[in-house]
Each structure stands twice: as structure tokens, then as C-alpha cells.
């Protein structure tokens, strides 16, 4: 019978914390007599409120743990006078406590448990910018600790059977052990603490996860219909659009639906493209047999408004529609939404937008836009699987169906948005993700952290894609020199505990990697990310490579 795999994570659930208290009791009351027995058989650490618990699980069973905290005084401060005199100077210090492994896991698998927890500790140390960790180790495991890089210092502390040797280890020493474990460990068994800077899937809040985990309910029920309409109202309020329809499918479906609606209009359209996703709009239009022209710019270059205006005014009669990405996600380049709306209004052209990477990450005003696509798994910070189209015109209830049912926007509108089976789990997750959000603060925070990170990357002479154009605050694209391999850099960042975007075929071809602020993040994690990028970039940069000059960028968050 196969054993369940070990998983390593930061404790977040109440039931995990309860098992921590019980393993704490078994280890430090029953095995090592540091504390008095109690009838509850659970021991809550005196620093519990300050501890971060790094744990190893087998299924739902806790098999190993340690606690880490960075607040002084440490427990060793109370046991060893002048603690800092024993330690290397100039380091930010954390204390490791309560290292415990279930007895039956101390055999062949004990090394894997300990190594995995310590790899997780290294990632936590990188995030917190700790340079040194101290621990009180049992003398019985002195050889093991020293093998892992711990350096003993000072006299033994404690008394009787509860004596311990003070030790420290540096972040650099830990890194070697951590990398060996991360390279050999299956990716599914290791869960870093939400250091996700992908464009999707994004990190979601705990309440969103819990909403998704509710029991499924019928999409025909009154409760579901009420929640569905409430979600649509929130989305329309966010974007200032009059209407929105939500579908089961990715953003690709939403763009196929836009192409399908455009096929009903007749006339000729214009598609703008300056990257991968603009090219995909061309593909959508081609597959639907639309009649259109294109206006292109190089990847990383903005399409100038003057060029668009010249193209549109030269075409007689006026183009029926114009379709482009609001943010070209492959580069981060933004289109000037207000200017496009004004130009389309003057030329009586219907404006259509791919807003998949902008809605939820920056202010987007869709008033005056004909059709705009979005998806649940990016800036709206929910699970992937839902897409939507925003629109401002009224549907004709007497219109004759001319499209496949799944692509017919009129059909959705006539059926109150729910003509087909719909996942209540995805709907409840999306509603939880978007309700009661301080959008203005989110947009401001995202813009500020993006500008800060761009500045830090420029200080390290790391070149960014953009060439001075308006760029999204949620997408930062790093242009690596030919001598550096984006796959190696991306994998090194992943080993350091940071998920960046580099595996897409178009990024591989360009030798680019991306940092995205689509999901949940904290400034603390972004600061640690900047330090990690600097270290990895410096480590992989050939000595002969010329120092590139940083590109000036400006985030444009209001359109």
C-alpha cells in the first residue's frame, strides 16, 4: 500500500494549529520534560501569537513542525546573557523553536521531513530578510545539526534532561541544503507561502477558497440567481458598464464571443496588435471570417494614437469596429483608453477591448465601449474558469438567432444570463473575491508597489520592456540579455520560492520573464522578491556582459 506523500507548508488552518499544540505536548512534556503534564495533553507555546509555524503533513496528519519568530527578546536572550556577543554582527536575526518530528517519522523518512521543513524555513527567511537563525538544539542531535550547517556557540543552557546547545546558521549556508531538497522534491509536495507573481492562476484569499468549497447548488435555484445578479451588479459598478454577461470558460471564450458578435455587424474592422494577445485577436477574427485590417507595432512598443487616427480617417467609409487589448499582457504596454474612446466616438466606430489583464488591477471605465472581455482568474482574484463580456447597448428581444447558442450574447441576455448549467462554486468564489473591495486602495497600492519594484530593478541595471511607453502597474516584463537563459533564471527564482511567468512559448522566444501583481500580495513579499531577483540576476550574469542601461518607465493607471 502506497503511503500518502509528505507536504510542506505554513500552518494556516485551525485544525493544523490544534495538532501543533498536541505535538508540542508530546515532544516537550512527555519526551523532553521541559513542562508540567496536563489533562488536556496540549501545550500552547508562550510565543504562540508571534510564531510562524512551518509544518510537514501526511494527508491530514501533522508529522513535523518548527516555529520561527523575529521579535526580541528571544528565549535564548533569557538563558544566555550578552547573546549578540556570540553571533556574527550586522545580521537580522530570527529564532527557531519547537522543532519536533513524530517518533515514527524519525527513521528513514525523518531526514526528508527535516530537510523539507528547513527548505521552507529558508524560503521564509528570504521573505523576511533574515540573515541568521538561532536555535537551542538537543545535544543528542548535535552531529545532525552541524551537518546541516549549524554552528554551536556558548555553553549549554537548561538543566537535567532538558539541556540544549545554542547554535546559529546563516541564510547562505541554509541555501545549499534548501536547493538540494527543492530540486529533488516533487513540486506538488512543497507549498511555499503564497509567493505567487504569476498572471494566473493567482493567489486567492482564504474566504474565496472557502466560498469555492461550499456544496454545489442548482443554477436554477432562487438563491443562486440572487447571488448571480448581485455579482453582475458589482462588476458593472466596478467598470461603469451598463451590462455584463458571465460565462463558463476562459478569457479565450469571451474573445471568441466578441468576434461572433462582430460577425453580425457587417462592414470592415481594424485590429491593433503590438504583442502576443493582439495577435490572438487577429486569430479570433480570422477564424470567424471577419473582414478587417490590422495596424501593428513591435512588441514592447506602443501604437501611437496619431498612427491609429491616420489609419481610421483614411479608410472610407469609416471602420465599423476597432478591437485591441487594453493591456498587452505579453509586454505590459497599455493602450490609451480615453483617447481611443474619443477617436471612436468621432468616427462612429464601435470600440471593443480585451480587458482581461486590466479589470481588477487598475481603474477601467467602460462607459462608451461596445464590447469588453474579462476573466475571473486574474485581476478579479478568483479561480480561473469564468469569463465575461461587458456592454452598454440594449439587446433586441425579437432578433433572429444567427450564432451558435454558446456564442450568442443576445441569448444570454434574454435568459437573464443563465441559459446553461453554471458552476455555483465558481460563482460564489467570484462574488466573494469582488464584494466589499476597496478598489481605489487596491489600485493605488498596486501602482505604488510596481513603481517601487521598477525602481529597484533599475538600480540593479536589470532592463525592462517598455521603452518609455505607458505600462500596466500589474505587469513588469524583464528583458534578459542573450547571454542569460530565461528558463534558468525562472527556475532559479522558483527554487528561491517565487513563481514568475517565464514558461509561455512567447516569453521563451523573447527570453523574457514577468512579475505580475494580479493576485494577492504584500509589500513584505515584494521587497523579498526584489532581493531575490537581484541575487539570481547577479549570480547568472556573465562577467563579460555589458551593463545595460535601465529603461525609463511610467505606469499609467487612470484611463
Amino acid at each position: 500500500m502506497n503511503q500518502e506523500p509528505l507536504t510542506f507548508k505554513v500552518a494556516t488552518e485551525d485544525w493544523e494549529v490544534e495538532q501543533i499544540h498536541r505535538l508540542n505536548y508530546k515532544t516537550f512534556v512527555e519526551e523532553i520534560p521541559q513542562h508540567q503534564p496536563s489533562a488536556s495533553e496540549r501545550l500552547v507555546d508562550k510565543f504562540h501569537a508571534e510564531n510562524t509555524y512551518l509544518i510537514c503533513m501526511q494527508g491530514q496528519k501533522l508529522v513535523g513542525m518548527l516555529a520561527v519568530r523575529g521579535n526580541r527578546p528571544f528565549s535564548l536572550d533569557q538563558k544566555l546573557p550578552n547573546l549578540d556577543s556570540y553571533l556574527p554582527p550586522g545580521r537580522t536575526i530570527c529564532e527557531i523553536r519547537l522543532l519536533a518530528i513524530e517518533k515514527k517519522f524519525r527513521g528513514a523518512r525523518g531526514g526528508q521531513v527535516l530537510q523539507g521543513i528547513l527548505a521552507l524555513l529558508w524560503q521564509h527567511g528570504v521573505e523576511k530578510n533574515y540573515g541568521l537563525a538561532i536555535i537551542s538544539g538537543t545535544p543528542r542531535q548535535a552531529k545532525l545539526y552541524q551537518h546541516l550547517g549549524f554552528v554551536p556557540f556558548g555553553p549549554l543552557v537548561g538543566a537535567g534532561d532538558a539541556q540544549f546547545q545554542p547554535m546559529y546558521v546563516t541564510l547562505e549556508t541554509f541555501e545549499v541544503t534548501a536547493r538540494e531538497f527543492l530540486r529533488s522534491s516533487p513540486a506538488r509536495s512543497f507549498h511555499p507561502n503564497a509567493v505567487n507573481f504569476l498572471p494566473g492562476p493567482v493567489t486567492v484569499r482564504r474566504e474565496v477558497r472557502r466560498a469555492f468549497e461550499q456544496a454545489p447548488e442548482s443554477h436554477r435555484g432562487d438563491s443562486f440567481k440572487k447571488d448571480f445578479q448581485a455579482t453582475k451588479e458589482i462588476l458593472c459598478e466596478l467598470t461603469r458598464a451598463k451590462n455584463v454577461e458571465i460565462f463558463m470558460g476562459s478569457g479565450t471564450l469571451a474573445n471568441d464571443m466578441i468576434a461572433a458578435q462582430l460577425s453580425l455587424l457587417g462592414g470592415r474592422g481594424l485590429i491593433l496588435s503590438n504583442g502576443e494577445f493582439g495577435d490572438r485577436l487577429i486569430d479570433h477574427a480570422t477564424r470567424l471570417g471577419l473582414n478587417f485590417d490590422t495596424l501593428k507595432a513591435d512588441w514592447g512598443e506602443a501604437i501611437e494614437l496619431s498612427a491609429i487616427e491616420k489609419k481610421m480617417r483614411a479608410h472610407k467609409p469609416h471602420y465599423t469596429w476597432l478591437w485591441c487589448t487594453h493591456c498587452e499582457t505579453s509586454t505590459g504596454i497599455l493602450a490609451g483608453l480615453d483617447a481611443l474612446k474619443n477617436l471612436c466616438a468621432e468616427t462612429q466606430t464601435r470600440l471593443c477591448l480585451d480587458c482581461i489583464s486590466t479589470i481588477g488591477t487598475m481603474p477601467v471605465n467602460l462607459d462608451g465601449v461596445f464590447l469588453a472581455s474579462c476573466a475571473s482568474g486574474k485581476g478579479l482574484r478568483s479561480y480561473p474558469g469564468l469569463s465575461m463580456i461587458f456592454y452598454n447597448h440594449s439587446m433586441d428581444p425579437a432578433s433572429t438567432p444567427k450564432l451558435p447558442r454558446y456564442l450568442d450574447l443576445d441569448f444570454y441576455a434574454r435568459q437573464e444570463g443563465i441559459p446553461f448549467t453554471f458552476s455555483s462554486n465558481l460563482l460564489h468564489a467570484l462574488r466573494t473575491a469582488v464584494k466589499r473591495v476597496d478598489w481605489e486602495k487596491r489600485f493605488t497600492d498596486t501602482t505604488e508597489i510596481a513603481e517601487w519594484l521598477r525602481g529597484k530593478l533599475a538600480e540593479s541595471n536589470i532592463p525592462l520592456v517598455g521603452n518609455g511607453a505607458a505600462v500596466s502597474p500589474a505587469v513588469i516584463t524583464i528583458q534578459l540579455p542573450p547571454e542569460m537563459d530565461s528558463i534558468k533564471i525562472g527556475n532559479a527564482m522558483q527554487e528561491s520560492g517565487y513563481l514568475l511567468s517565464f514558461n509561455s512559448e512567447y516569453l521563451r522566444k523573447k527570453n523574457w520573464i514577468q512579475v505580475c501583481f494580479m493576485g494577492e500580495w504584500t509589500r513584505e513579499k515584494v521587497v523579498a522578491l526584489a532581493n531575490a531577483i537581484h541575487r539570481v540576476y547577479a549570480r547568472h550574469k556573465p562577467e563579460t556582459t555589458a551593463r545595460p542601461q535601465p529603461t525609463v518607465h511610467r505606469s499609467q493607471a487612470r484611463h
Side-chain angles (χ1 to χ4, degrees):
M1 182 176 178
N2 292 332
Q3 292 181 319
E4 289 188 79
L6 301 176
T7 60
F8 301 87
K9 66 187 294 288
V10 175
T12 56
E13 306 299 328
D14 293 341
W15 59 269
E16 294 171 340
V17 174
E18 179 59 30
Q19 291 193 57
I20 287 170
H21 297 328
R22 295 194 178 279
L23 180 56
N24 197 15
Y25 182 89
K26 285 196 291 187
T27 304
F28 299 104
V29 175
E30 295 179 344
E31 186 175 353
I32 302 174
Q34 280 186 265
H35 302 274
Q36 293 299 314
S38 69
S40 67
E41 296 187 344
R42 61 197 300 273
L43 176 62
V44 179
D45 183 57
K46 63 182 178 180
F47 296 120
H48 173 67
E50 300 177 1
N51 288 341
T52 296
Y53 294 100
L54 311 179
I55 60 175
C56 174
M57 304 292 295
Q58 186 180 57
Q60 301 291 302
K61 173 68 175 177
L62 176 70
V63 301
M65 70 174 192
L66 66 74
V68 57
R69 57 187 287 267
N71 295 343
R72 304 290 287 264
F74 298 136
S75 58
L76 270 176
D77 278 311
Q78 302 166 7
K79 299 173 183 176
L80 196 62
N82 301 316
L83 173 63
D84 291 294
S85 65
Y86 296 95
L87 304 175
R91 298 275 187 146
T92 303
I93 306 171
C94 66
E95 181 177 44
I96 304 169
R97 307 178 62 253
L98 310 182
L99 176 59
I101 298 174
E102 283 280 4
K103 284 186 177 180
K104 68 177 182 178
F105 285 87
R106 297 179 191 174
R109 302 192 79 184
Q112 184 183 3
V113 173
L114 179 59
Q115 195 176 27
I117 292 176
L118 294 181
L120 195 60
L121 175 64
W122 172 71
Q123 287 192 343
H124 181 72
V126 171
E127 288 180 30
K128 295 288 189 178
N129 201 31
Y130 294 139
L132 191 77
I134 59 174
I135 189 171
S136 298
T138 172
R140 290 174 293 181
Q141 298 293 336
K143 289 185 178 180
L144 172 62
Y145 285 124
Q146 292 184 50
H147 175 72
L148 293 171
F150 285 86
V151 178
F153 67 88
L156 292 175
V157 296
D161 293 331
Q163 285 192 313
F164 298 94
Q165 173 64 59
M167 301 181 184
Y168 71 78
V169 65
T170 64
L171 186 70
E172 298 86 347
T173 301
F174 242 2
E175 184 172 0
V176 176
T177 299
R179 287 188 181 282
E180 288 177 357
F181 175 81
L182 291 172
R183 276 193 289 266
S184 62
S185 174
R188 66 180 182 275
S189 72
F190 200 78
H191 299 277
N193 187 23
V195 193
N196 180 345
F197 295 98
L198 296 172
V202 301
T203 300
V204 299
R205 303 194 310 273
R206 184 186 301 183
E207 54 265 37
V208 177
R209 299 198 303 270
R210 289 178 173 171
F212 178 81
E213 292 166 358
Q214 294 178 19
E217 62 177 294
S218 170
H219 63 290
R220 300 302 181 199
D222 290 340
S223 175
F224 177 85
K225 290 180 179 179
K226 181 179 178 181
D227 289 344
F228 191 85
Q229 295 304 320
T231 305
K232 292 174 68 173
E233 290 173 6
I234 295 171
L235 293 171
C236 286
E237 182 180 354
L238 170 63
T239 60
R240 301 185 187 179
K242 292 181 180 178
N243 307 295
V244 64
E245 304 301 340
I246 310 174
F247 322 104
M248 291 281 295
S250 68
T252 300
L253 169 66
N255 284 330
D256 266 342
M257 293 187 73
I258 288 180
Q261 312 319 304
L262 295 179
S263 72
L264 304 176
L265 296 180
R268 192 170 185 85
L270 176 65
I271 298 179
L272 311 180
S273 178
N274 56 350
E276 170 69 18
F277 293 91
D279 287 349
R280 291 190 190 183
L281 297 185
I282 294 173
D283 183 66
H284 285 288
T286 301
R287 289 171 181 268
L288 264 292
L290 302 187
N291 188 11
F292 66 95
D293 295 328
T294 62
L295 179 60
K296 291 192 170 188
D298 291 338
W299 287 39
E301 298 288 338
I303 301 178
E304 296 297 333
L305 181 65
S306 59
I308 302 171
E309 184 175 11
K310 180 179 178 181
K311 181 87 171 178
M312 292 180 67
R313 296 194 186 282
H315 188 270
K316 303 296 182 181
H318 289 315
Y319 286 114
T320 303
W321 48 268
L322 183 149
W323 195 8
C324 67
T325 59
H326 185 196
C327 168
E328 176 46 67
T329 315
S330 62
T331 62
I333 299 295
L334 282 174
L337 179 51
D338 288 342
L340 284 175
K341 287 199 293 185
N342 291 336
L343 178 58
C344 287
E346 292 173 9
T347 57
Q348 298 182 342
T349 304
R350 295 174 177 87
L351 176 60
C352 301
L353 297 170
D354 176 337
C355 293
I356 292 172
S357 292
T358 51
I359 292 176
T361 65
M362 57 181 285
V364 178
N365 183 350
L366 295 179
D367 180 33
V369 173
F370 184 60
L371 298 168
S373 58
C374 185
S376 57
K378 292 186 182 291
L380 296 179
R381 300 185 178 183
S382 187
Y383 290 97
L386 298 182
S387 58
M388 54 216 73
I389 290 180
F390 296 87
Y391 60 101
N392 292 291
H393 55 286
S394 298
M395 297 297 178
D396 181 2
S399 62
T400 302
K402 298 178 181 178
L403 295 172
R405 292 164 66 88
Y406 214 73
L407 299 181
D408 188 347
L409 193 63
D410 282 16
F411 187 55
Y412 284 84
R414 290 195 298 269
Q415 299 293 323
E416 298 182 332
I418 321 173
F420 314 118
T421 300
F422 203 103
S423 167
S424 62
N425 305 79
L426 287 173
L427 186 279
H428 291 317
L430 176 60
R431 186 187 178 200
T432 301
V434 299
K435 70 180 181 181
R436 292 195 294 273
V437 175
D438 186 340
W439 295 106
E440 184 175 353
K441 182 178 187 303
R442 176 179 290 185
F443 299 151
T444 299
D445 289 348
T446 302
T447 299
E448 289 178 352
I449 201 66
E451 291 177 349
W452 179 88
L453 181 57
R454 288 180 183 277
K456 296 298 289 185
L457 296 176
E459 289 176 10
S460 298
N461 292 294
I462 298 176
L464 305 180
V465 175
N467 297 326
V471 289
S472 166
V475 180
I476 298 176
T477 306
I478 298 173
Q479 181 176 356
L480 296 173
E483 298 85 358
M484 298 175 69
D485 185 342
S486 63
I487 307 303
K488 290 182 179 179
I489 298 297
N491 284 327
M493 287 300 301
Q494 188 166 320
E495 289 179 4
S496 297
Y498 299 92
L499 301 178
L500 306 187
S501 184
F502 64 94
N503 271 319
S504 298
E505 183 180 359
Y506 59 88
L507 292 177
R508 289 182 178 223
K509 287 181 178 179
K510 295 289 185 179
N511 203 37
W512 292 350
I513 61 175
Q514 290 183 318
V515 178
C516 296
F517 296 116
M518 303 283 185
E520 300 294 329
W521 52 268
T522 64
R523 182 176 180 82
E524 182 178 71
K525 292 183 185 297
V526 178
V527 171
L529 169 71
N531 294 333
I533 292 175
H534 174 79
R535 289 196 305 272
V536 170
Y537 190 86
R539 185 187 307 135
H540 288 80
K541 183 178 179 181
E543 293 294 332
T544 57
T545 302
R547 295 174 65 87
Q549 295 301 311
T551 308
V552 177
H553 303 268
R554 55 185 175 90
S555 293
Q556 181 174 323
R558 297 194 177 271
H559 294 260

